[in-house]
Amino acid sequence: MQNVKKDLLDAENNKIIDFLNKQIFTLALALWITINTLHSTLWQFSIIENNFNTLKIICLVLLILKEIVTLRHDTPYFSIFLICVLAFAITYNSKDISIVILAAFIIEARNIEFSKIAEVSILINICILIVTIYASQHGLLENRIFAKNDGTPRYGLGFMYTTYPSQLLFFSTAAWVSIRNKSIKIWELLALLLANIYIYSETKTANPLICVVLLLILVFFAKIDKNFYNNSFVKFMGNNIFFICAAIIFSATILYSNVAWLKEVDQLVSNRLRLGNTGLTEYGISIFGKNVVLSGSEYGLLTVLQTKYNYIDSSYIQIAVKYGIIVIAYLLIGFRQVQKKLLSNNDIYSYISCIAVACQAMLDPQLIMLQYNPFILLLGVLIVRKGQKKDDMLYSN
């Protein structure tokens, strides 16, 4: 009888711990996404702007609390310790605390269902996106006007810069495809496409729309042929997509000065190759990163006019320059393992969403920005011990 009571008590304690584990992580994730997404809008709430770094630290404290609450003897603490040491070293060199916090999120995501992570990301970002766009269209917020080189107007839709709403919607679209999985309907795909086309018509930000179209084409192939992604060539491309995209953009950027036709490509991608080439030449790539200050259009035209414009848009190149070889290698190798795991779990829709994310990262910098990209937390599956099913964030997908 005592053993039965003990088992019941242990089961009840495990339920409480599991509940706290999920709620603390969700709170930290929701806080991080909310403050960072609102920070990119023109709402500029004083409670966020005056306490921005403090709120980031609160997220880190919540993640540490989650680890303490769910302390387990079978957790791979050596791997966690190694990641923490490297994250602190890179943060020290780059002077960017976001790396330590991102590492903490990746570690703590290991036993949280990815579908729940994606749901939180979609809910917060779509709500902020809709309210902010509505406010900008009804005079509650400024609808900033930017201009392309040919004079075509681009609207900020209540955000600091015109690309932000496009990127938020792209990642929300990819996350929606992932969590809806095989159940996603044609009307949903059409609605997502139309929403992205509308945002493009206002912002004239092409890369997110192109990647959404690519994503929907990949979904189409998944629907008409369930074995399409088991083809050896397709599997090779899908598993190694992050390596392939990184190799393409690095090659094009490095060879930009010496290959005439790449200068024409550079004009099509708004000088991204030239700026990346300049960044690689000026700063180089270190092992643990360095304190590189990149100035761009993030906070409006006034900032651009007052400072040197040297922003590196490509995620792969920016990460290599700012955070070093360790981080870019971890991301490329890690996502290869994630893609293989997704395919082996037959989670095709998350698999193809990651393909779209890899392609988007060639020309835009959001790959490791958690407020945009929830898929970065899929790297948490790499910390789960082999065969430890119940603590695998993809186990229930």
Side-chain angles (χ1 to χ4, degrees):
M1 181 65 77
Q2 281 186 330
N3 287 338
V4 173
K5 287 183 177 179
K6 185 177 182 302
D7 289 343
L8 289 173
L9 185 61
D10 287 344
E12 189 64 30
N13 287 338
N14 286 335
K15 284 183 180 179
I16 294 171
I17 289 171
D18 186 55
F19 175 79
L20 290 174
N21 172 54
K22 292 176 180 177
Q23 297 309 311
I24 294 171
F25 182 86
T26 301
L27 177 60
L29 180 64
L31 179 61
W32 181 266
I33 294 173
T34 301
I35 64 174
N36 281 280
T37 301
L38 285 174
H39 183 62
S40 70
T41 71
L42 295 176
W43 289 110
Q44 296 296 286
F45 295 111
S46 58
I47 191 172
I48 292 176
E49 301 309 317
N50 296 337
N51 302 282
F52 194 54
N53 288 328
T54 301
L55 290 168
K56 288 183 176 182
I57 296 298
I58 291 173
C59 291
L60 181 59
V61 170
L62 286 170
L63 295 170
I64 293 171
L65 177 62
K66 173 187 176 294
E67 188 62 45
I68 293 171
V69 167
T70 59
L71 197 65
R72 296 169 57 96
H73 70 276
D74 57 351
T75 297
Y77 279 109
F78 178 75
S79 298
I80 292 174
F81 175 76
L82 181 60
I83 291 172
C84 290
V85 169
L86 292 173
F88 275 107
I90 292 161
T91 291
Y92 177 80
N93 281 358
S94 66
K95 305 297 184 286
D96 187 351
I97 194 174
S98 296
I99 290 298
V100 163
I101 300 175
L102 177 62
F105 269 111
I106 290 172
I107 291 168
E108 296 309 318
R110 70 188 186 274
N111 49 20
I112 304 294
E113 295 173 29
F114 179 71
S115 59
K116 302 302 181 186
I117 292 171
E119 286 170 8
V120 171
S121 178
I122 292 170
L123 178 62
I124 294 172
N125 280 334
I126 291 300
C127 285
I128 292 175
L129 191 63
I130 291 172
V131 171
T132 303
I133 291 174
Y134 178 87
S136 74
Q137 300 292 341
H138 290 80
L140 301 174
L141 284 178
E142 178 187 358
N143 190 3
R144 288 185 174 179
I145 302 176
F146 302 84
K148 298 184 71 174
N149 292 335
D150 61 2
T152 304
R154 309 172 68 189
Y155 297 95
L157 299 177
F159 286 80
M160 286 280 196
Y161 190 56
T162 186
T163 62
Y164 296 170
S166 305
Q167 303 296 356
L168 283 174
L169 187 55
F170 162 72
F171 282 104
S172 294
T173 299
W176 183 262
V177 168
S178 172
I179 61 176
R180 290 288 291 144
N181 210 286
K182 297 173 184 177
S183 301
I184 197 164
K185 308 297 183 185
I186 296 297
W187 69 263
E188 293 175 68
L189 300 175
L190 288 173
L192 291 169
L193 179 60
L194 291 173
N196 280 274
I197 290 173
Y198 166 72
I199 296 293
Y200 170 76
S201 71
E202 296 290 312
T203 66
K204 301 299 186 291
T205 306
N207 190 42
L209 178 61
I210 292 170
C211 291
V212 164
V213 172
L214 170 64
L215 173 60
L216 298 185
I217 291 171
L218 295 175
V219 170
F220 174 75
F221 283 125
K223 282 193 168 294
I224 64 172
D225 183 1
K226 62 182 180 180
N227 294 316
F228 177 78
Y229 291 97
N230 288 317
N231 174 277
S232 57
F233 175 75
V234 174
K235 185 188 296 186
F236 173 83
M237 295 294 290
N239 289 353
N240 296 284
I241 189 64
F242 285 87
F243 274 107
I244 292 167
C245 289
I248 291 171
I249 195 63
F250 267 100
S251 299
T253 300
I254 292 168
L255 296 174
Y256 157 78
S257 300
N258 302 316
V259 180
W261 63 268
L262 283 176
K263 294 187 177 181
E264 296 180 16
V265 173
D266 185 53
Q267 294 303 307
L268 294 175
V269 296
S270 303
N271 300 313
R272 281 167 164 79
L273 300 184
R274 176 177 63 80
L275 291 166
N277 183 281
T278 301
L280 288 172
T281 302
E282 185 172 343
Y283 301 111
I285 300 175
S286 60
I287 296 176
F288 295 105
K290 58 184 68 173
N291 184 13
V292 175
V293 179
L294 298 177
S295 300
S297 303
E298 297 149 284
Y299 302 107
L301 290 175
L302 184 61
T303 302
V304 175
L305 294 173
Q306 291 177 342
T307 59
K308 172 186 175 183
Y309 190 102
N310 67 342
Y311 197 77
I312 301 171
D313 287 277
S314 169
S315 290
Y316 301 109
I317 296 174
Q318 184 182 129
I319 291 166
V321 168
K322 288 185 69 174
Y323 306 120
I325 294 172
I326 296 292
V327 174
I328 193 66
Y330 175 75
L331 290 172
L332 298 182
I333 296 170
F335 268 115
R336 183 178 187 276
Q337 295 304 112
V338 166
Q339 287 293 83
K340 290 170 68 175
K341 188 174 182 67
L342 289 170
L343 193 60
S344 68
N345 286 359
N346 200 33
D347 192 352
I348 300 301
Y349 289 80
S350 294
Y351 184 80
I352 59 183
S353 293
C354 284
I355 292 174
V357 167
C359 294
Q360 185 272 352
M362 292 174 67
L363 297 177
D364 284 309
Q366 288 82 18
L367 181 60
I368 62 171
M369 297 181 186
L370 179 55
Q371 64 268 30
Y372 291 95
N373 179 22
F375 295 94
I376 192 68
L377 296 187
L378 282 170
L379 294 171
V381 303
L382 305 179
I383 302 170
V384 179
R385 283 181 174 164
K386 190 173 182 181
Q388 194 172 312
K389 291 283 188 180
K390 71 175 181 176
D391 279 340
D392 190 326
M393 69 189 297
L394 296 178
Y395 177 60
S396 62
N397 283 3

